[in-house]
PDB file of all heavy atoms in Angstrom:
ATOM      1  N   PHE E 119     193.026 167.916-215.279  1.00 98.00           N
ATOM      2  CA  PHE E 119     193.800 167.394-216.408  1.00 98.00           C
ATOM      3  C   PHE E 119     193.559 168.101-217.663  1.00 98.00           C
ATOM      4  O   PHE E 119     194.286 167.936-218.657  1.00 98.00           O
ATOM      5  CB  PHE E 119     193.485 165.889-216.564  1.00 98.00           C
ATOM      6  CG  PHE E 119     192.130 165.533-217.204  1.00 98.00           C
ATOM      7  CD1 PHE E 119     192.089 165.338-218.566  1.00 98.00           C
ATOM      8  CD2 PHE E 119     191.004 165.473-216.381  1.00 98.00           C
ATOM      9  CE1 PHE E 119     190.820 165.101-219.159  1.00 98.00           C
ATOM     10  CE2 PHE E 119     189.752 165.228-216.995  1.00 98.00           C
ATOM     11  CZ  PHE E 119     189.700 165.018-218.324  1.00 98.00           C
ATOM     12  N   LYS E 120     192.514 168.928-217.690  1.00 98.00           N
ATOM     13  CA  LYS E 120     192.171 169.639-218.965  1.00 98.00           C
ATOM     14  C   LYS E 120     193.294 170.481-219.404  1.00 98.00           C
ATOM     15  O   LYS E 120     193.427 170.750-220.646  1.00 98.00           O
ATOM     16  CB  LYS E 120     190.911 170.430-218.786  1.00 98.00           C
ATOM     17  CG  LYS E 120     189.677 169.645-218.297  1.00 98.00           C
ATOM     18  CD  LYS E 120     189.195 168.691-219.355  1.00 98.00           C
ATOM     19  CE  LYS E 120     187.950 167.923-218.782  1.00 98.00           C
ATOM     20  NZ  LYS E 120     187.434 166.945-219.719  1.00 98.00           N
ATOM     21  N   SER E 143     180.851 172.695-221.399  1.00 94.00           N
ATOM     22  CA  SER E 143     181.643 172.014-220.382  1.00 94.00           C
ATOM     23  C   SER E 143     180.795 171.633-219.190  1.00 94.00           C
ATOM     24  O   SER E 143     179.834 172.317-218.838  1.00 94.00           O
ATOM     25  CB  SER E 143     182.810 172.903-219.958  1.00 94.00           C
ATOM     26  OG  SER E 143     183.549 172.313-218.935  1.00 94.00           O
ATOM     27  N   THR E 144     181.232 170.558-218.452  1.00 92.00           N
ATOM     28  CA  THR E 144     180.686 170.266-217.203  1.00 92.00           C
ATOM     29  C   THR E 144     181.505 170.998-216.129  1.00 92.00           C
ATOM     30  O   THR E 144     181.325 170.777-214.923  1.00 92.00           O
ATOM     31  CB  THR E 144     180.715 168.759-216.929  1.00 92.00           C
ATOM     32  OG1 THR E 144     182.060 168.234-217.071  1.00 92.00           O
ATOM     33  CG2 THR E 144     179.809 167.990-217.890  1.00 92.00           C
ATOM     34  N   GLY E 145     182.390 171.909-216.536  1.00 96.00           N
ATOM     35  CA  GLY E 145     183.037 172.803-215.632  1.00 96.00           C
ATOM     36  C   GLY E 145     184.573 172.967-215.826  1.00 96.00           C
ATOM     37  O   GLY E 145     185.152 174.057-215.806  1.00 96.00           O
ATOM     38  N   ASN E 146     185.284 171.803-215.823  1.00 97.00           N
ATOM     39  CA  ASN E 146     186.723 171.860-215.907  1.00 97.00           C
ATOM     40  C   ASN E 146     187.299 172.324-217.231  1.00 97.00           C
ATOM     41  O   ASN E 146     188.192 173.058-217.298  1.00 97.00           O
ATOM     42  CB  ASN E 146     187.355 170.481-215.550  1.00 97.00           C
ATOM     43  CG  ASN E 146     187.260 170.254-214.074  1.00 97.00           C
ATOM     44  OD1 ASN E 146     187.527 171.164-213.299  1.00 97.00           O
ATOM     45  ND2 ASN E 146     187.044 169.032-213.677  1.00 97.00           N
ATOM     46  N   THR E 147     186.668 171.821-218.328  1.00 98.00           N
ATOM     47  CA  THR E 147     187.136 172.317-219.631  1.00 98.00           C
ATOM     48  C   THR E 147     186.919 173.848-219.734  1.00 98.00           C
ATOM     49  O   THR E 147     187.837 174.573-220.280  1.00 98.00           O
ATOM     50  CB  THR E 147     186.303 171.594-220.753  1.00 98.00           C
ATOM     51  OG1 THR E 147     186.652 170.213-220.730  1.00 98.00           O
ATOM     52  CG2 THR E 147     186.694 172.108-222.106  1.00 98.00           C
ATOM     53  N   PHE E 193     174.559 168.861-221.027  1.00 91.00           N
ATOM     54  CA  PHE E 193     175.862 168.872-221.758  1.00 91.00           C
ATOM     55  C   PHE E 193     175.713 168.395-223.219  1.00 91.00           C
ATOM     56  O   PHE E 193     176.238 169.059-224.133  1.00 91.00           O
ATOM     57  CB  PHE E 193     176.902 168.032-221.013  1.00 91.00           C
ATOM     58  CG  PHE E 193     178.243 167.934-221.702  1.00 91.00           C
ATOM     59  CD1 PHE E 193     179.252 168.787-221.318  1.00 91.00           C
ATOM     60  CD2 PHE E 193     178.492 166.958-222.648  1.00 91.00           C
ATOM     61  CE1 PHE E 193     180.493 168.747-222.012  1.00 91.00           C
ATOM     62  CE2 PHE E 193     179.698 166.887-223.275  1.00 91.00           C
ATOM     63  CZ  PHE E 193     180.711 167.744-222.964  1.00 91.00           C
ATOM     64  N   PRO E 245     188.480 157.915-214.748  1.00 98.00           N
ATOM     65  CA  PRO E 245     186.985 158.087-214.918  1.00 98.00           C
ATOM     66  C   PRO E 245     186.693 158.380-216.372  1.00 98.00           C
ATOM     67  O   PRO E 245     187.504 158.972-217.100  1.00 98.00           O
ATOM     68  CB  PRO E 245     186.677 159.374-214.040  1.00 98.00           C
ATOM     69  CG  PRO E 245     188.053 160.058-213.788  1.00 98.00           C
ATOM     70  CD  PRO E 245     189.117 159.143-214.203  1.00 98.00           C
ATOM     71  N   GLY E 246     185.492 157.995-216.754  1.00 98.00           N
ATOM     72  CA  GLY E 246     185.031 158.244-218.143  1.00 98.00           C
ATOM     73  C   GLY E 246     183.852 159.107-218.224  1.00 98.00           C
ATOM     74  O   GLY E 246     182.774 158.863-217.574  1.00 98.00           O
ATOM     75  N   GLY E 247     183.929 160.134-219.009  1.00 97.00           N
ATOM     76  CA  GLY E 247     182.774 161.058-219.208  1.00 97.00           C
ATOM     77  C   GLY E 247     182.534 161.152-220.721  1.00 97.00           C
ATOM     78  O   GLY E 247     181.806 160.281-221.313  1.00 97.00           O
ATOM     79  N   ASN E 248     183.156 162.176-221.320  1.00 96.00           N
ATOM     80  CA  ASN E 248     183.076 162.324-222.827  1.00 96.00           C
ATOM     81  C   ASN E 248     184.048 161.404-223.518  1.00 96.00           C
ATOM     82  O   ASN E 248     184.038 161.282-224.735  1.00 96.00           O
ATOM     83  CB  ASN E 248     183.294 163.789-223.182  1.00 96.00           C
ATOM     84  CG  ASN E 248     182.428 164.247-224.225  1.00 96.00           C
ATOM     85  OD1 ASN E 248     181.484 163.576-224.666  1.00 96.00           O
ATOM     86  ND2 ASN E 248     182.750 165.396-224.787  1.00 96.00           N
ATOM     87  N   LEU E 249     184.898 160.717-222.760  1.00 98.00           N
ATOM     88  CA  LEU E 249     185.847 159.737-223.173  1.00 98.00           C
ATOM     89  C   LEU E 249     186.997 160.248-223.993  1.00 98.00           C
ATOM     90  O   LEU E 249     187.691 159.447-224.655  1.00 98.00           O
ATOM     91  CB  LEU E 249     185.133 158.534-223.905  1.00 98.00           C
ATOM     92  CG  LEU E 249     184.051 157.884-223.044  1.00 98.00           C
ATOM     93  CD1 LEU E 249     183.242 156.885-223.915  1.00 98.00           C
ATOM     94  CD2 LEU E 249     184.745 157.070-221.905  1.00 98.00           C
ATOM     95  N   GLY E 250     187.251 161.561-223.990  1.00 97.00           N
ATOM     96  CA  GLY E 250     188.467 162.145-224.595  1.00 97.00           C
ATOM     97  C   GLY E 250     189.707 161.624-223.954  1.00 97.00           C
ATOM     98  O   GLY E 250     190.698 161.353-224.650  1.00 97.00           O
ATOM     99  N   ASN E 251     189.705 161.561-222.623  1.00 98.00           N
ATOM    100  CA  ASN E 251     190.926 161.178-221.881  1.00 98.00           C
ATOM    101  C   ASN E 251     191.245 159.713-222.134  1.00 98.00           C
ATOM    102  O   ASN E 251     192.433 159.331-222.301  1.00 98.00           O
ATOM    103  CB  ASN E 251     190.758 161.492-220.437  1.00 98.00           C
ATOM    104  CG  ASN E 251     192.021 162.004-219.780  1.00 98.00           C
ATOM    105  OD1 ASN E 251     192.907 162.480-220.451  1.00 98.00           O
ATOM    106  ND2 ASN E 251     192.120 161.814-218.436  1.00 98.00           N
ATOM    107  N   ALA E 307     181.204 166.411-213.200  1.00 96.00           N
ATOM    108  CA  ALA E 307     182.174 166.431-214.260  1.00 96.00           C
ATOM    109  C   ALA E 307     182.009 165.340-215.263  1.00 96.00           C
ATOM    110  O   ALA E 307     182.298 165.453-216.472  1.00 96.00           O
ATOM    111  CB  ALA E 307     183.563 166.300-213.670  1.00 96.00           C
ATOM    112  N   ILE E 308     181.402 164.174-214.848  1.00 97.00           N
ATOM    113  CA  ILE E 308     181.176 163.055-215.765  1.00 97.00           C
ATOM    114  C   ILE E 308     179.670 162.827-216.004  1.00 97.00           C
ATOM    115  O   ILE E 308     179.283 161.695-216.345  1.00 97.00           O
ATOM    116  CB  ILE E 308     181.916 161.823-215.253  1.00 97.00           C
ATOM    117  CG1 ILE E 308     181.665 161.490-213.807  1.00 97.00           C
ATOM    118  CG2 ILE E 308     183.424 161.938-215.492  1.00 97.00           C
ATOM    119  CD1 ILE E 308     182.172 160.136-213.315  1.00 97.00           C
ATOM    120  N   ILE E 310     177.509 162.895-218.353  1.00 95.00           N
ATOM    121  CA  ILE E 310     177.395 163.001-219.813  1.00 95.00           C
ATOM    122  C   ILE E 310     176.772 161.664-220.309  1.00 95.00           C
ATOM    123  O   ILE E 310     177.153 160.589-219.965  1.00 95.00           O
ATOM    124  CB  ILE E 310     178.844 163.091-220.448  1.00 95.00           C
ATOM    125  CG1 ILE E 310     179.427 164.468-220.028  1.00 95.00           C
ATOM    126  CG2 ILE E 310     178.842 162.920-221.876  1.00 95.00           C
ATOM    127  CD1 ILE E 310     180.816 164.704-220.484  1.00 95.00           C
ATOM    128  N   GLU E 353     188.274 165.744-206.639  1.00 98.00           N
ATOM    129  CA  GLU E 353     186.834 166.039-206.819  1.00 98.00           C
ATOM    130  C   GLU E 353     186.035 164.734-207.043  1.00 98.00           C
ATOM    131  O   GLU E 353     186.665 163.691-207.218  1.00 98.00           O
ATOM    132  CB  GLU E 353     186.656 167.043-207.957  1.00 98.00           C
ATOM    133  CG  GLU E 353     187.001 166.521-209.319  1.00 98.00           C
ATOM    134  CD  GLU E 353     186.406 167.446-210.442  1.00 98.00           C
ATOM    135  OE1 GLU E 353     185.197 167.333-210.744  1.00 98.00           O
ATOM    136  OE2 GLU E 353     187.184 168.288-210.934  1.00 98.00           O
ATOM    137  N   ALA E 355     184.292 163.178-209.432  1.00 98.00           N
ATOM    138  CA  ALA E 355     184.478 162.321-210.608  1.00 98.00           C
ATOM    139  C   ALA E 355     185.759 161.544-210.481  1.00 98.00           C
ATOM    140  O   ALA E 355     185.849 160.335-210.851  1.00 98.00           O
ATOM    141  CB  ALA E 355     184.497 163.156-211.866  1.00 98.00           C
ATOM    142  N   THR E 383     191.646 163.197-211.581  1.00 98.00           N
ATOM    143  CA  THR E 383     191.560 164.158-212.753  1.00 98.00           C
ATOM    144  C   THR E 383     191.315 165.628-212.243  1.00 98.00           C
ATOM    145  O   THR E 383     191.622 166.543-212.967  1.00 98.00           O
ATOM    146  CB  THR E 383     190.336 163.724-213.586  1.00 98.00           C
ATOM    147  OG1 THR E 383     189.250 163.354-212.757  1.00 98.00           O
ATOM    148  CG2 THR E 383     190.663 162.548-214.505  1.00 98.00           C
ATOM    149  N   GLY E 384     190.773 165.821-210.996  1.00 98.00           N
ATOM    150  CA  GLY E 384     190.509 167.167-210.590  1.00 98.00           C
ATOM    151  C   GLY E 384     190.847 167.392-209.146  1.00 98.00           C
ATOM    152  O   GLY E 384     190.709 166.498-208.291  1.00 98.00           O
TER     153      GLY E 384
HETATM  154  N1  LIG V 501     187.178 163.911-214.506  1.00 65.13           N
HETATM  155  C1  LIG V 501     187.009 165.251-214.480  1.00 65.13           C
HETATM  156  C2  LIG V 501     187.403 165.962-213.245  1.00 65.13           C
HETATM  157  C3  LIG V 501     186.444 165.835-215.611  1.00 65.13           C
HETATM  158  O1  LIG V 501     186.272 167.145-215.622  1.00 65.13           O
HETATM  159  C4  LIG V 501     186.091 165.061-216.666  1.00 65.13           C
HETATM  160  C5  LIG V 501     185.511 165.630-217.929  1.00 65.13           C
HETATM  161  C6  LIG V 501     186.343 163.651-216.671  1.00 65.13           C
HETATM  162  C7  LIG V 501     186.890 163.108-215.526  1.00 65.13           C
HETATM  163  C8  LIG V 501     186.002 162.780-217.812  1.00 65.13           C
HETATM  164  O2  LIG V 501     186.954 162.924-218.808  1.00 65.13           O
HETATM  165  O3  LIG V 501     185.379 163.501-220.692  1.00 65.13           O
HETATM  166  O4  LIG V 501     187.736 162.883-221.105  1.00 65.13           O
HETATM  167  O5  LIG V 501     186.121 161.214-220.359  1.00 65.13           O
HETATM  168  N2  LIG V 501     185.059 166.898-217.928  1.00 65.13           N
HETATM  169  C9  LIG V 501     184.656 167.533-219.131  1.00 65.13           C
HETATM  170  C10 LIG V 501     184.459 169.015-218.938  1.00 65.13           C
HETATM  171  C11 LIG V 501     183.610 166.887-219.904  1.00 65.13           C
HETATM  172  O6  LIG V 501     183.632 169.623-219.652  1.00 65.13           O
HETATM  173  O7  LIG V 501     185.146 169.559-218.077  1.00 65.13           O
HETATM  174  P1  LIG V 501     186.523 162.541-220.338  1.00 65.13           P
END
Side-chain angles (χ1 to χ4, degrees):
F119 75 94
K120 305 290 181 182
S143 177
T144 56
N146 281 323
T147 295
F193 177 93
N248 219 10
L249 300 172
N251 219 19
I308 50 173
I310 293 175
E353 69 164 278
T383 43

